[in-house]
Amino acid sequence: MVQDLDMVKKVYSNFKSNVDSARKLLGRPMTLTEKILYAHLKPANGGKGTDLNNFGRGKDYVDFYPDRVAMQDATAQMALLQFMSAGIPKVAVPSTVHCDHLIQAEVNASTDLATANRENSEVYEFLANVSKKYGIGFWKPGAGIIHQVVLENYAFPGGMMIGTDSHTPNAGGLGMIAIGVGGADAVDVMAGIPWELKFPKLIGVKLTGSLKGWASAKDIILKLAGILTVKGGTGAIVEYFGSGTATLSCTGKGTICNMGAEIGATTSIFPYDVRMADYLKKTDRAEIANLADGVADYLKADVDIEKNPEKYYDQVVTIDLDTLEPHINGPFTPDLATPISQFAKAVKENGWPSKLSAALIGSCTNSSYEDIDRVATVAKQAATQNLKAKCEFLITPGSEQVRATIERDGQLGALDKMGANVMANACGPCIGQWKRHGSQEKNSIITSFNRNFTARNDGNPKTHAFVASPETVIGFALAGDLSIDFTKEPVTNEKGEKVMLQTPKGLDLPDKGFVKDEHGYVAPAADGSSITVAINPKSDRLQALSPFNAPSLDKDFNDLRMLIKAKGKCTTDHISMAGSWLKFRGHLDNISNNLLIGAINSFNGEANKVKNQASGVTGAVPATARDYKAQGIGWLVVGEENYGEGSSREHAALEPRHLGGKAIVVKSFARIHETNLKKQGMLPLTFATPADYDKIREDDTFSLNAKDLAPGKQLTLSIKHADGQTESIMLNHTFNEQQIGWFKAGSALNLIAANKK
Ligand code: SF4
């Protein structure tokens, strides 16, 4: 077992007393979320007691001490470069690095893994060395996807962790508060300093009944995404309760929590139950299950909460599992939810391509033993009914543990016979690491992944990507056409006969236990002080970081230009693209060449084409930013709603800072991106009147009274139009005192380094 058992024991030893103290202070029953958060507060006054307070949800910034940190290879590079520059000898909490994002899916698992090891050797070596030196567990390429490996090895009920990936909430399936953050936040926790979060609001989701037919756990979150939309969970933790929760497997709960990121939730969580205990035991952690059993009453909401949820949650949604249909969400956004009974109609009415070009099962969201066992029952029927996949059919297992187990138990063989190609245990097509052969035509694909923004999977903006459960994906793979409701209509087999698919069934855990991955994990050195980490100054993959300069508040915020006024959705994929750019995630200057190249310029409707107001030349966004920087011209970006939604990648904040950006002014922000901007010394600001977005012209010049930045006080954006007219608009911000300290120091990291001296 790689879990740090002493740390888990410590959390449980104080859990009851911490929760009891908090309940006394609050004078009311507590939700599960509140119990875990209050149990992880910063210790008060020299470690005696905790820093208790009746915190305002959605208002108060609170300091927490999470139990652990997880980082994936694409974000770990920048997180660890920052950690190194803070000059701290060893991580303060158990931490791990997982090599999953940089493996491209092209041929098959072994070929692609060999290619990744060759092409990324410099990065893998850097991550392995830094991990060894600073006390971090290292999971090699091929060992699995971060969230699956965390669920199998590290998540525990009542724990709290952060991870440098937006789907970190997957661990909520094991009753853990697990939050996706940027690398600078990971540095805080690894450095042993408190980690700050605005005390979240709470959305209670009551599940009643039990799933029937083709419906699966994924359909619960697909349905919820349709109800709450991509912004609905912003600033909130989604807590599931009700009798339906116990009907779901632990990994099914993980799927639901994982995709809570798609509604912008801070994280999602399920109460502890016997399904979680079973999962802990099957994954070699019976001791943790016993410890959790000892505090079981504290690992769920108090009884009164369930009786009167509206009184204790800020919002309550009820989903009846008995009547829930399979859902298909998309294209281009994960909240466009359509039940399968209505889907053929929607395909026709919207002109979506109905013929499927590819079906993909896997990712961190849906590649558990249960997922694969259920789809394998469909594949086994297919073999007896002369059915084969009617499109490209890819499987990406979530971990070597799952892959080896489904190979032993025969599910992989059944999928292989149906025409599946099994890729490496890695993110692959989920993050644009899919070397897809074929044209760039308009086409439809269906995946069991979580995210389907434009071009996310294959880089083709004309690909209509739909998200569904693995069961729905395999059904459509056999139907070959999105206008066939295979749950009610027959599909055509290789002999031209019409055959009905039977509903999938499966085990959530393997009877014979999991096959252990003996080779994927490398423990850190007991004493890493003699290990050196060298970065080649000529490398195009890695670059040592230099601290950002502290701003001159009198000078730096005058005569600003606008780099781009982004129109519509502007996710972290638009701000810092993934796909082939992933290889530059450890080299700030090189990756800055993708700054905002996916954002649509509201003045011409095109991507990566803006007018340089200094030279009058129209050019690429990064080149324009570099030119402004070279001329000492500060700039800002203007955007619309939920700017920076999507991933936790802090490159989306580092790049504008590196290329001379000063402020991002939008209608609203996604939480992680807003914090990332603050940590890097940028000003994330929102229009006090959203309609003021329309007042911004392409050739305006701006000034900001940044020196007046104070908690709760608006800033003024003075606008000088090219025709000589001037006007002022008010901007909101969410900076508190500590965050203003980051801004004035030039970055949060500058403050950590200064405090260490
Ligand atoms: Fe990897 Fe996709 Fe999961 Fe992100 S969402 S960790 S890219 S599999």
Side-chain angles (χ1 to χ4, degrees):
M1 182 161 76
V2 292
Q3 180 107 38
D4 189 322
L5 198 55
D6 288 344
M7 176 269 284
V8 180
K9 283 182 179 162
K10 198 166 153 219
V11 172
Y12 285 140
S13 69
N14 298 323
F15 204 84
K16 280 186 180 181
S17 58
N18 285 344
V19 171
D20 287 339
S21 306
R23 195 188 285 109
K24 201 164 154 201
L25 172 95
L26 299 175
R28 60 166 174 79
M30 292 175 78
T31 62
L32 171 59
T33 302
E34 288 169 321
K35 289 179 187 181
I36 302 176
L37 290 179
Y38 274 94
H40 286 84
L41 288 179
K42 178 179 150 193
N45 311 324
K48 292 197 183 109
T50 47
D51 220 350
L52 275 180
N53 208 330
N54 192 348
F55 296 111
R57 294 182 193 167
K59 273 206 315 259
D60 293 338
Y61 282 92
V62 182
D63 284 336
F64 294 101
Y65 275 105
D67 305 313
R68 64 178 315 121
V69 175
M71 293 162 278
Q72 41 94 337
D73 50 1
T75 50
Q77 297 169 58
M78 201 50 82
L80 293 175
L81 285 164
Q82 292 179 82
F83 183 78
M84 286 164 66
S85 58
I88 292 160
K90 194 171 179 193
V91 290
V93 300
S95 303
T96 47
V97 164
H98 304 260
C99 296
D100 54 3
H101 277 58
L102 300 178
I103 302 168
Q104 197 172 39
E106 184 185 11
V107 184
N108 56 38
S110 57
T111 310
D112 295 347
L113 192 55
T115 306
N117 273 319
R118 195 172 57 249
E119 291 183 350
N120 303 311
S121 61
E122 181 187 7
V123 171
Y124 290 151
E125 204 175 304
F126 167 76
L127 293 174
N129 257 339
V130 178
S131 297
K132 204 171 207 181
K133 179 175 178 64
Y134 293 103
I136 300 168
F138 180 71
W139 288 84
K140 293 194 257 184
I145 304 172
I146 175 169
H147 311 305
Q148 182 70 27
V149 174
V150 164
L151 198 74
E152 288 170 357
N153 295 280
Y154 300 119
F156 65 97
M160 182 175 186
M161 68 174 287
I162 61 160
T164 59
D165 189 277
S166 50
H167 293 99
T168 302
N170 191 70
L174 249 179
M176 190 169 201
I177 292 274
I179 300 179
V181 297
D185 287 38
V187 174
D188 287 354
V189 178
M190 291 191 292
I193 62 176
W195 173 69
E196 186 192 64
L197 178 76
K198 195 189 271 184
F199 204 87
K201 293 190 173 187
L202 294 178
I203 298 175
V205 178
K206 182 176 183 180
L207 301 182
T208 61
S210 60
L211 295 165
K212 305 281 182 306
W214 282 82
S216 78
K218 177 74 161 280
D219 297 303
I220 298 170
I221 186 64
L222 294 175
K223 166 95 180 162
L224 189 65
I227 296 170
L228 292 178
T229 79
V230 290
K231 271 182 72 182
T234 306
I237 290 183
V238 179
E239 182 171 316
Y240 291 85
F241 67 99
S243 58
T245 60
T247 67
L248 303 171
S249 66
C250 172
T251 50
K253 292 176 174 99
T255 295
I256 294 168
C257 293
N258 176 304
M259 242 191 107
E262 269 48 65
I263 54 170
T266 301
T267 192
S268 303
I269 190 163
F270 275 85
Y272 179 62
D273 63 16
V274 70
R275 308 294 289 268
M276 293 188 193
D278 290 345
Y279 185 78
L280 284 167
K281 288 172 194 163
K282 278 280 184 214
T283 51
D284 247 3
R285 290 174 289 170
E287 202 169 347
I288 293 179
N290 291 338
L291 289 167
D293 284 342
V295 290
D297 286 346
Y298 286 75
L299 297 174
K300 55 189 178 195
D302 287 342
V303 178
D304 290 349
I305 302 265
E306 292 218 10
K307 286 189 193 147
N308 200 356
E310 280 79 9
K311 191 167 163 194
Y312 300 105
Y313 295 110
D314 299 287
Q315 183 180 356
V316 176
V317 177
T318 300
I319 297 179
D320 176 13
L321 306 191
D322 283 330
T323 56
L324 184 67
E325 277 190 64
H327 276 61
I328 299 100
N329 288 24
F332 308 124
T333 185
D335 59 356
L336 182 56
T338 313
I340 196 161
S341 59
Q342 307 296 316
F343 191 57
K345 190 164 147 250
V347 168
K348 194 165 173 214
E349 283 176 2
N350 290 291
W352 298 330
S354 71
K355 189 171 177 310
L356 259 190
S357 63
L360 302 96
I361 288 175
S363 87
C364 62
T365 321
N366 267 129
S367 56
S368 64
Y369 187 85
E370 180 183 40
D371 291 331
I372 304 294
D373 199 41
R374 278 170 65 84
V375 296
T377 62
V378 180
K380 282 173 192 162
Q381 291 175 47
T384 62
Q385 292 178 310
N386 294 308
L387 276 164
K388 283 227 164 16
K390 294 196 175 71
C391 58
E392 189 176 5
F393 184 35
L394 299 184
I395 312 278
T396 46
S399 71
E400 177 55 17
Q401 182 165 301
V402 164
R403 193 211 61 78
T405 308
I406 58 175
E407 183 176 52
R408 179 199 66 193
D409 293 351
Q411 294 94 337
L412 265 194
L415 290 163
D416 183 51
K417 279 197 192 116
M418 206 195 105
N421 189 4
V422 180
M423 311 310 266
N425 313 316
C427 303
C430 183
I431 187 71
Q433 290 279 57
W434 184 15
K435 208 163 178 188
R436 199 175 175 195
H437 299 287
S439 65
Q440 291 278 298
E441 292 305 308
K442 184 172 168 182
N443 72 105
S444 284
I445 65 171
I446 190 159
T447 81
S448 74
F449 306 162
N450 45 29
R451 209 157 258 181
N452 57 354
F453 300 139
T454 305
R456 165 136 177 134
N457 303 116
D458 62 358
N460 176 7
K462 292 190 214 148
T463 293
H464 290 52
F466 296 90
V467 176
S469 71
E471 294 89 332
T472 303
V473 172
I474 196 168
F476 276 122
L478 291 167
D481 194 307
L482 292 174
S483 61
I484 296 172
D485 178 356
F486 58 84
T487 66
K488 297 202 185 80
E489 298 168 45
V491 300
T492 309
N493 71 7
E494 304 240 293
K495 292 181 172 170
E497 300 159 343
K498 300 275 184 196
V499 292
M500 281 303 294
L501 298 177
Q502 303 301 308
T503 50
K505 294 193 174 41
L507 298 172
D508 58 338
L509 294 166
D511 285 339
K512 289 188 262 176
F514 284 104
V515 178
K516 302 281 166 314
D517 173 11
E518 306 286 355
H519 308 292
Y521 178 70
V522 184
D527 176 3
S529 56
S530 61
I531 297 170
T532 50
V533 180
I535 297 174
N536 180 351
K538 292 198 180 131
S539 169
D540 66 351
R541 299 288 302 268
L542 295 165
Q543 182 186 41
L545 288 177
S546 310
F548 293 125
N549 290 332
S552 161
L553 298 180
D554 286 324
K555 289 194 209 136
D556 286 357
F557 297 88
N558 296 327
D559 301 319
L560 305 177
R561 286 299 194 169
M562 180 171 60
L563 181 64
I564 184 170
K565 181 176 175 181
K567 182 171 129 187
K569 218 183 233 307
C570 194
T571 70
T572 45
D573 279 342
H574 295 89
I575 305 168
S576 176
M577 252 179 209
S580 59
W581 290 96
L582 279 173
K583 62 176 176 287
F584 297 124
R585 287 279 178 86
H587 196 295
L588 180 55
D589 196 53
N590 282 348
I591 197 157
S592 294
N593 288 329
N594 77 359
L595 174 66
L596 284 157
I597 60 175
I600 301 300
N601 181 354
S602 77
F603 298 106
N604 59 16
E606 294 189 64
N608 204 19
K609 204 186 236 191
V610 291
K611 188 167 175 193
N612 182 327
Q613 297 300 328
S615 66
V617 173
T618 296
V621 180
T624 307
R626 282 188 193 278
D627 187 63
Y628 285 153
K629 183 180 178 184
Q631 296 193 50
I633 300 170
W635 49 264
L636 49 77
V637 169
V638 172
E640 299 204 61
E641 299 285 2
N642 213 18
Y643 182 92
E645 75 177 270
S647 89
S648 66
R649 81 189 58 139
E650 64 197 315
H651 302 78
L654 278 159
E655 291 176 33
R657 178 75 166 102
H658 175 62
L659 294 186
K662 305 294 177 203
I664 310 290
V665 182
V666 298
K667 292 181 184 174
S668 64
F669 279 104
R671 174 190 64 83
I672 303 177
H673 186 59
E674 183 182 25
T675 307
N676 285 348
L677 287 166
K678 288 178 184 171
K679 291 225 154 186
Q680 302 306 340
M682 295 281 297
L683 286 175
L685 305 167
T686 52
F687 292 105
T689 306
D692 284 348
Y693 170 89
D694 298 324
K695 292 181 177 166
I696 310 292
R697 301 178 199 166
E698 191 174 22
D699 46 5
D700 287 342
T701 311
F702 309 88
S703 294
L704 261 172
N705 58 334
K707 64 169 180 277
D708 299 331
L709 184 65
K713 197 173 153 199
Q714 290 181 324
L715 290 183
T716 305
L717 183 69
S718 307
I719 308 170
K720 195 154 63 165
H721 297 304
D723 60 11
Q725 289 189 344
T726 59
E727 60 184 314
S728 294
I729 60 174
M730 303 312 292
L731 303 176
N732 294 332
H733 67 82
T734 59
F735 280 88
N736 61 21
E737 283 295 355
Q738 179 175 315
Q739 294 167 340
I740 290 171
W742 304 342
F743 170 67
K744 289 187 174 162
S747 71
L749 193 60
N750 285 359
L751 261 195
I752 295 179
N755 290 340
K756 205 193 132 270
K757 281 177 193 157

Short mmCIF file of all heavy atoms in Angstrom, two decimals, residues 673-708:
data_model
loop_
_atom_site.label_atom_id
_atom_site.label_comp_id
_atom_site.label_asym_id
_atom_site.label_seq_id
_atom_site.Cartn_x
_atom_site.Cartn_y
_atom_site.Cartn_z
N HIS A 673 -9.56 29.83 -12.35
CA HIS A 673 -8.80 30.76 -13.19
C HIS A 673 -8.66 32.12 -12.50
O HIS A 673 -7.59 32.74 -12.55
CB HIS A 673 -9.46 30.91 -14.55
CG HIS A 673 -8.65 31.74 -15.49
ND1 HIS A 673 -7.36 31.40 -15.84
CD2 HIS A 673 -8.90 32.93 -16.10
CE1 HIS A 673 -6.87 32.33 -16.66
NE2 HIS A 673 -7.79 33.26 -16.81
N GLU A 674 -9.70 32.56 -11.83
CA GLU A 674 -9.62 33.85 -11.13
C GLU A 674 -8.52 33.80 -10.07
O GLU A 674 -7.69 34.71 -9.96
CB GLU A 674 -10.98 34.17 -10.48
CG GLU A 674 -11.00 35.53 -9.80
CD GLU A 674 -12.33 35.81 -9.11
OE1 GLU A 674 -13.03 34.86 -8.74
OE2 GLU A 674 -12.64 37.00 -8.92
N THR A 675 -8.48 32.69 -9.30
CA THR A 675 -7.42 32.57 -8.27
C THR A 675 -6.05 32.49 -8.92
O THR A 675 -5.08 33.09 -8.44
CB THR A 675 -7.68 31.31 -7.41
OG1 THR A 675 -8.99 31.38 -6.92
CG2 THR A 675 -6.69 31.23 -6.26
N ASN A 676 -5.96 31.73 -10.01
CA ASN A 676 -4.66 31.61 -10.69
C ASN A 676 -4.15 32.98 -11.12
O ASN A 676 -2.96 33.29 -10.99
CB ASN A 676 -4.78 30.71 -11.92
CG ASN A 676 -4.88 29.24 -11.56
OD1 ASN A 676 -4.63 28.87 -10.41
ND2 ASN A 676 -5.23 28.41 -12.52
N LEU A 677 -5.04 33.81 -11.66
CA LEU A 677 -4.62 35.16 -12.09
C LEU A 677 -4.10 35.96 -10.90
O LEU A 677 -3.06 36.62 -10.98
CB LEU A 677 -5.79 35.89 -12.75
CG LEU A 677 -6.18 35.40 -14.16
CD1 LEU A 677 -7.54 35.94 -14.56
CD2 LEU A 677 -5.14 35.81 -15.21
N LYS A 678 -4.82 35.89 -9.79
CA LYS A 678 -4.38 36.64 -8.60
C LYS A 678 -3.00 36.16 -8.16
O LYS A 678 -2.14 36.96 -7.81
CB LYS A 678 -5.36 36.43 -7.45
CG LYS A 678 -6.70 37.12 -7.63
CD LYS A 678 -7.58 36.78 -6.43
CE LYS A 678 -8.97 37.34 -6.55
NZ LYS A 678 -9.87 36.82 -5.50
N LYS A 679 -2.82 34.83 -8.16
CA LYS A 679 -1.54 34.30 -7.67
C LYS A 679 -0.37 34.75 -8.53
O LYS A 679 0.76 34.84 -8.05
CB LYS A 679 -1.60 32.77 -7.66
CG LYS A 679 -2.53 32.24 -6.61
CD LYS A 679 -1.95 31.10 -5.84
CE LYS A 679 -2.61 31.08 -4.48
NZ LYS A 679 -2.07 30.13 -3.56
N GLN A 680 -0.62 35.00 -9.81
CA GLN A 680 0.48 35.41 -10.68
C GLN A 680 0.61 36.93 -10.77
O GLN A 680 1.38 37.45 -11.59
CB GLN A 680 0.30 34.81 -12.09
CG GLN A 680 0.22 33.30 -12.10
CD GLN A 680 1.39 32.59 -11.42
OE1 GLN A 680 2.47 33.17 -11.24
NE2 GLN A 680 1.19 31.34 -11.03
N GLY A 681 -0.12 37.65 -9.94
CA GLY A 681 0.06 39.11 -9.89
C GLY A 681 -0.77 39.86 -10.92
O GLY A 681 -0.51 41.04 -11.18
N MET A 682 -1.76 39.18 -11.52
CA MET A 682 -2.65 39.86 -12.48
C MET A 682 -3.86 40.40 -11.72
O MET A 682 -4.15 39.98 -10.60
CB MET A 682 -3.16 38.87 -13.54
CG MET A 682 -2.12 38.29 -14.45
SD MET A 682 -1.62 39.41 -15.78
CE MET A 682 -3.14 39.61 -16.71
N LEU A 683 -4.60 41.29 -12.38
CA LEU A 683 -5.84 41.83 -11.79
C LEU A 683 -7.05 41.22 -12.49
O LEU A 683 -7.40 41.62 -13.60
CB LEU A 683 -5.89 43.35 -11.97
CG LEU A 683 -5.00 44.21 -11.09
CD1 LEU A 683 -5.12 45.67 -11.51
CD2 LEU A 683 -5.37 44.06 -9.61
N PRO A 684 -7.73 40.21 -11.89
CA PRO A 684 -8.99 39.74 -12.46
C PRO A 684 -10.13 40.63 -11.99
O PRO A 684 -10.40 40.73 -10.79
CB PRO A 684 -9.12 38.31 -11.90
CG PRO A 684 -8.29 38.27 -10.68
CD PRO A 684 -7.31 39.42 -10.71
N LEU A 685 -10.81 41.28 -12.92
CA LEU A 685 -11.84 42.27 -12.57
C LEU A 685 -13.11 41.97 -13.34
O LEU A 685 -13.06 41.44 -14.46
CB LEU A 685 -11.33 43.67 -12.93
CG LEU A 685 -9.97 44.06 -12.31
CD1 LEU A 685 -9.41 45.32 -12.98
CD2 LEU A 685 -10.10 44.27 -10.81
N THR A 686 -14.24 42.32 -12.75
CA THR A 686 -15.52 42.08 -13.44
C THR A 686 -16.29 43.39 -13.59
O THR A 686 -16.23 44.26 -12.72
CB THR A 686 -16.40 41.06 -12.68
OG1 THR A 686 -16.52 41.48 -11.32
CG2 THR A 686 -15.79 39.67 -12.71
N PHE A 687 -17.01 43.49 -14.69
CA PHE A 687 -17.83 44.68 -14.92
C PHE A 687 -18.90 44.77 -13.84
O PHE A 687 -19.66 43.81 -13.64
CB PHE A 687 -18.55 44.58 -16.28
CG PHE A 687 -17.63 44.65 -17.46
CD1 PHE A 687 -17.33 43.50 -18.19
CD2 PHE A 687 -17.07 45.85 -17.86
CE1 PHE A 687 -16.50 43.55 -19.29
CE2 PHE A 687 -16.23 45.92 -18.97
CZ PHE A 687 -15.94 44.76 -19.69
N ALA A 688 -18.98 45.91 -13.14
CA ALA A 688 -20.06 46.08 -12.17
C ALA A 688 -21.40 46.06 -12.91
O ALA A 688 -22.40 45.57 -12.40
CB ALA A 688 -19.88 47.39 -11.41
N THR A 689 -21.41 46.61 -14.11
CA THR A 689 -22.59 46.54 -14.98
C THR A 689 -22.18 45.75 -16.22
O THR A 689 -21.43 46.25 -17.07
CB THR A 689 -23.02 47.97 -15.40
OG1 THR A 689 -23.20 48.74 -14.22
CG2 THR A 689 -24.29 47.96 -16.22
N PRO A 690 -22.63 44.48 -16.32
CA PRO A 690 -22.15 43.64 -17.43
C PRO A 690 -22.32 44.28 -18.81
O PRO A 690 -21.51 44.05 -19.71
CB PRO A 690 -22.98 42.36 -17.28
CG PRO A 690 -23.34 42.32 -15.83
CD PRO A 690 -23.50 43.74 -15.39
N ALA A 691 -23.34 45.11 -18.98
CA ALA A 691 -23.57 45.72 -20.29
C ALA A 691 -22.44 46.68 -20.69
O ALA A 691 -22.31 47.06 -21.86
CB ALA A 691 -24.90 46.46 -20.29
N ASP A 692 -21.58 47.04 -19.72
CA ASP A 692 -20.45 47.92 -20.05
C ASP A 692 -19.47 47.24 -20.99
O ASP A 692 -18.62 47.91 -21.60
CB ASP A 692 -19.72 48.36 -18.77
CG ASP A 692 -20.50 49.45 -18.02
OD1 ASP A 692 -21.46 49.99 -18.62
OD2 ASP A 692 -20.15 49.74 -16.86
N TYR A 693 -19.56 45.92 -21.08
CA TYR A 693 -18.74 45.19 -22.07
C TYR A 693 -18.90 45.84 -23.44
O TYR A 693 -17.94 45.96 -24.20
CB TYR A 693 -19.22 43.73 -22.08
CG TYR A 693 -18.67 42.86 -23.19
CD1 TYR A 693 -17.48 42.15 -23.04
CD2 TYR A 693 -19.36 42.72 -24.40
CE1 TYR A 693 -17.00 41.32 -24.05
CE2 TYR A 693 -18.88 41.91 -25.42
CZ TYR A 693 -17.71 41.21 -25.24
OH TYR A 693 -17.23 40.40 -26.24
N ASP A 694 -20.14 46.27 -23.74
CA ASP A 694 -20.42 46.83 -25.07
C ASP A 694 -19.79 48.20 -25.29
O ASP A 694 -19.71 48.67 -26.42
CB ASP A 694 -21.94 46.93 -25.28
CG ASP A 694 -22.60 45.56 -25.23
OD1 ASP A 694 -21.96 44.59 -25.71
OD2 ASP A 694 -23.71 45.44 -24.69
N LYS A 695 -19.38 48.85 -24.19
CA LYS A 695 -18.79 50.19 -24.34
C LYS A 695 -17.34 50.13 -24.82
O LYS A 695 -16.77 51.14 -25.20
CB LYS A 695 -18.83 50.93 -22.99
CG LYS A 695 -20.23 51.28 -22.55
CD LYS A 695 -20.20 52.04 -21.23
CE LYS A 695 -21.61 52.45 -20.83
NZ LYS A 695 -21.66 52.88 -19.43
N ILE A 696 -16.74 48.95 -24.72
CA ILE A 696 -15.31 48.85 -25.03
C ILE A 696 -15.09 48.78 -26.53
O ILE A 696 -15.61 47.88 -27.20
CB ILE A 696 -14.69 47.59 -24.36
CG1 ILE A 696 -15.05 47.52 -22.88
CG2 ILE A 696 -13.19 47.55 -24.58
CD1 ILE A 696 -14.45 48.56 -22.00
N ARG A 697 -14.30 49.71 -27.05
CA ARG A 697 -14.00 49.74 -28.49
C ARG A 697 -12.58 49.23 -28.73
O ARG A 697 -11.73 49.29 -27.84
CB ARG A 697 -14.14 51.16 -29.04
CG ARG A 697 -15.54 51.73 -28.83
CD ARG A 697 -15.61 53.16 -29.36
NE ARG A 697 -16.76 53.86 -28.79
CZ ARG A 697 -16.92 55.17 -28.85
NH1 ARG A 697 -16.00 55.93 -29.47
NH2 ARG A 697 -17.99 55.76 -28.32
N GLU A 698 -12.34 48.84 -29.97
CA GLU A 698 -11.07 48.20 -30.31
C GLU A 698 -9.87 49.12 -30.08
O GLU A 698 -8.80 48.67 -29.66
CB GLU A 698 -11.13 47.76 -31.78
CG GLU A 698 -10.00 46.86 -32.21
CD GLU A 698 -10.21 46.35 -33.63
OE1 GLU A 698 -10.96 47.00 -34.39
OE2 GLU A 698 -9.63 45.31 -33.96
N ASP A 699 -10.04 50.41 -30.35
CA ASP A 699 -8.89 51.32 -30.30
C ASP A 699 -8.90 52.20 -29.05
O ASP A 699 -8.31 53.28 -29.03
CB ASP A 699 -8.84 52.18 -31.57
CG ASP A 699 -10.20 52.77 -31.92
OD1 ASP A 699 -11.15 52.58 -31.12
OD2 ASP A 699 -10.33 53.40 -32.98
N ASP A 700 -9.55 51.74 -28.00
CA ASP A 700 -9.56 52.50 -26.74
C ASP A 700 -8.21 52.45 -26.04
O ASP A 700 -7.41 51.52 -26.24
CB ASP A 700 -10.61 51.91 -25.77
CG ASP A 700 -12.04 52.23 -26.19
OD1 ASP A 700 -12.22 53.16 -27.00
OD2 ASP A 700 -12.96 51.53 -25.71
N THR A 701 -7.98 53.45 -25.18
CA THR A 701 -6.84 53.45 -24.27
C THR A 701 -7.42 53.49 -22.85
O THR A 701 -8.43 54.15 -22.62
CB THR A 701 -5.95 54.69 -24.48
OG1 THR A 701 -5.69 54.81 -25.88
CG2 THR A 701 -4.63 54.57 -23.76
N PHE A 702 -6.77 52.79 -21.92
CA PHE A 702 -7.36 52.60 -20.59
C PHE A 702 -6.40 52.99 -19.47
O PHE A 702 -5.18 52.86 -19.61
CB PHE A 702 -7.72 51.12 -20.38
CG PHE A 702 -8.53 50.51 -21.47
CD1 PHE A 702 -7.90 49.93 -22.58
CD2 PHE A 702 -9.91 50.50 -21.42
CE1 PHE A 702 -8.64 49.35 -23.59
CE2 PHE A 702 -10.66 49.92 -22.43
CZ PHE A 702 -10.03 49.34 -23.52
N SER A 703 -6.98 53.40 -18.35
CA SER A 703 -6.21 53.56 -17.12
C SER A 703 -7.00 52.96 -15.97
O SER A 703 -8.24 53.04 -15.95
CB SER A 703 -5.96 55.04 -16.81
OG SER A 703 -5.12 55.59 -17.79
N LEU A 704 -6.27 52.37 -15.03
CA LEU A 704 -6.89 51.72 -13.87
C LEU A 704 -6.29 52.30 -12.60
O LEU A 704 -5.06 52.44 -12.52
CB LEU A 704 -6.54 50.23 -13.89
CG LEU A 704 -7.54 49.23 -14.43
CD1 LEU A 704 -6.86 47.88 -14.52
CD2 LEU A 704 -8.77 49.15 -13.55
N ASN A 705 -7.11 52.57 -11.61
CA ASN A 705 -6.57 53.09 -10.34
C ASN A 705 -6.16 51.93 -9.43
O ASN A 705 -6.69 51.75 -8.34
CB ASN A 705 -7.60 54.01 -9.65
CG ASN A 705 -8.91 53.30 -9.36
OD1 ASN A 705 -9.26 52.36 -10.05
ND2 ASN A 705 -9.61 53.76 -8.33
N ALA A 706 -5.19 51.14 -9.90
CA ALA A 706 -4.78 49.92 -9.19
C ALA A 706 -4.24 50.22 -7.80
O ALA A 706 -4.31 49.37 -6.91
CB ALA A 706 -3.74 49.17 -10.01
N LYS A 707 -3.70 51.42 -7.61
CA LYS A 707 -3.12 51.70 -6.29
C LYS A 707 -4.20 51.82 -5.21
O LYS A 707 -3.92 51.74 -4.02
CB LYS A 707 -2.21 52.92 -6.30
CG LYS A 707 -2.85 54.23 -6.62
CD LYS A 707 -1.82 55.34 -6.30
CE LYS A 707 -2.37 56.71 -6.57
NZ LYS A 707 -2.27 57.12 -7.96
N ASP A 708 -5.46 51.95 -5.63
CA ASP A 708 -6.56 52.02 -4.66
C ASP A 708 -7.15 50.65 -4.34
O ASP A 708 -8.19 50.56 -3.67
CB ASP A 708 -7.69 52.91 -5.20
CG ASP A 708 -7.21 54.34 -5.45
OD1 ASP A 708 -6.27 54.76 -4.73
OD2 ASP A 708 -7.74 55.00 -6.35
#
